[in-house]
Amino acid sequence: MISFENIQKNFGSLKVLKGITGEINRGEVVAVIGSSGCGKSTLLRCFNRLESIDGGSLLVNGINLSRPTVNYNQLRQLRSQVGMVFQQFNLFPHLSVLENLTLAPCKVLGKTPKESAHLGALYLEKVGLSNKAGAYPEQLSGGQKQRVAIARSLCMNPQIMLFDEPTSALDPELVGEVLQVMQQLAAEGMTMVVVTHEMQFAREVAKDVIFLDKGVIAEQGPAYELLTNPQSDRLNIFLSRLNSREF
């Protein structure tokens, strides 16, 4: 589903990604971990062309993102196939929950309002928020907002879901409800790339883990093995600094 070789990304003179290589197959969950500033979110944003790469090759679901420019139709196709959930929810505050969910299917997929409303109701039920269809974002808890954001992405019927630290803005007691939805998606076979600091989730749900350090892959491998028996000193240090509630 995603194949990347020696990809590089610079912001001016700052080299953020310094030759990242790997692949993610259909139905796999891959966790990307590392300290702040190591390039995790930048890598994720390259996967849906929110950032373009400066070197190397990148294919996402058959779409070549290696070229400096990607035409409108390819970009539209990519955005309809790859859903993304951000740290800060990015819900439209002036729209109800259901309106947030139905906007993109109508505008991008060309579905009728009735079809979009059916999809919205379906995925609100999936994330356990059927009773919040008429509510507005300001009336929701952080965990509820993030579950709405996940449902909004699912309304596009994506083949790949990208999660950029989806629990980092949540109070600790709200983290579980979001991770439970993500775990359900993983069990149903959704291809997922998750930037996260939730090591228990990564260990139990992810197939593989990529540990980034200063723009390079410092260690990667099967999630349970890598997180219970790290081989590099740098990963050992990183894990030891995480909150003791996770390990």
Side-chain angles (χ1 to χ4, degrees):
M1 297 290 281
I2 305 176
S3 176
F4 45 105
E5 183 175 354
N6 195 34
I7 64 173
Q8 300 162 49
K9 176 64 183 177
N10 307 320
F11 293 104
S13 61
L14 179 63
K15 297 183 182 298
V16 179
L17 300 178
K18 306 173 185 176
I20 307 294
T21 297
E23 63 179 22
I24 299 164
N25 297 311
R26 185 179 301 275
E28 290 182 349
V29 178
V30 173
V32 183
I33 65 173
S35 301
S36 297
C38 70
K40 305 185 302 294
S41 293
T42 299
L43 177 64
L44 204 69
R45 291 168 67 86
C46 289
F47 289 163
N48 71 345
R49 194 65 178 198
L50 288 177
E51 300 288 353
S52 59
I53 64 174
D54 295 314
S57 64
L58 174 60
L59 289 173
V60 178
N61 207 25
I63 302 172
N64 187 353
L65 301 182
S66 309
R67 293 171 294 183
T69 58
V70 177
N71 67 47
Y72 173 79
N73 288 333
Q74 288 177 316
L75 192 59
R76 187 182 179 94
Q77 180 184 0
L78 177 75
R79 297 283 165 75
S80 69
Q81 295 175 353
V82 182
M84 187 159 182
V85 177
F86 299 87
Q87 298 179 38
Q88 299 295 337
F89 325 127
N90 290 359
L91 300 176
F92 293 109
H94 64 292
L95 299 180
S96 71
V97 165
L98 187 60
E99 288 169 339
N100 266 281
L101 268 62
T102 58
L103 185 63
C106 285
K107 297 290 187 181
V108 179
L109 300 182
K111 293 188 178 295
T112 66
K114 184 177 180 179
E115 290 172 330
S116 297
H118 175 74
L119 275 177
L122 177 70
Y123 287 114
L124 279 179
E125 181 179 2
K126 188 178 187 70
V127 300
L129 292 173
S130 294
N131 62 332
K132 298 295 184 181
Y136 285 81
E138 65 179 10
Q139 299 171 307
L140 305 178
S141 69
Q144 289 171 335
K145 290 176 185 177
Q146 196 61 291
R147 284 189 281 159
V148 169
I150 293 172
R152 178 179 59 181
S153 289
L154 292 174
C155 281
M156 296 296 288
N157 192 29
Q159 298 184 40
I160 301 169
M161 287 283 286
L162 309 176
F163 294 86
D164 189 6
E165 299 195 44
T167 61
S168 66
L170 303 180
D171 292 333
E173 63 268 23
L174 301 177
V175 169
E177 64 188 59
V178 174
L179 294 181
Q180 185 176 7
V181 172
M182 294 170 62
Q183 191 164 2
Q184 180 184 353
L185 291 176
E188 293 170 354
M190 176 65 74
T191 306
M192 298 163 58
V193 187
V194 185
V195 171
T196 185
H197 287 296
E198 299 291 337
M199 293 300 107
Q200 183 175 346
F201 173 83
R203 190 172 58 209
E204 295 177 356
V205 178
K207 176 183 180 291
D208 292 312
V209 165
I210 296 173
F211 172 54
L212 292 184
D213 184 40
K214 298 179 181 178
V216 300
I217 295 178
E219 195 169 340
Q220 63 179 320
Y224 186 84
E225 178 181 329
L226 185 142
L227 294 175
T228 56
N229 187 29
Q231 298 301 300
S232 67
D233 290 341
R234 184 65 190 91
L235 181 53
N236 262 311
I237 293 170
F238 171 76
L239 294 177
S240 69
R241 289 176 176 170
L242 291 180
N243 194 307
S244 60
R245 72 178 176 85
E246 297 179 304
F247 274 83

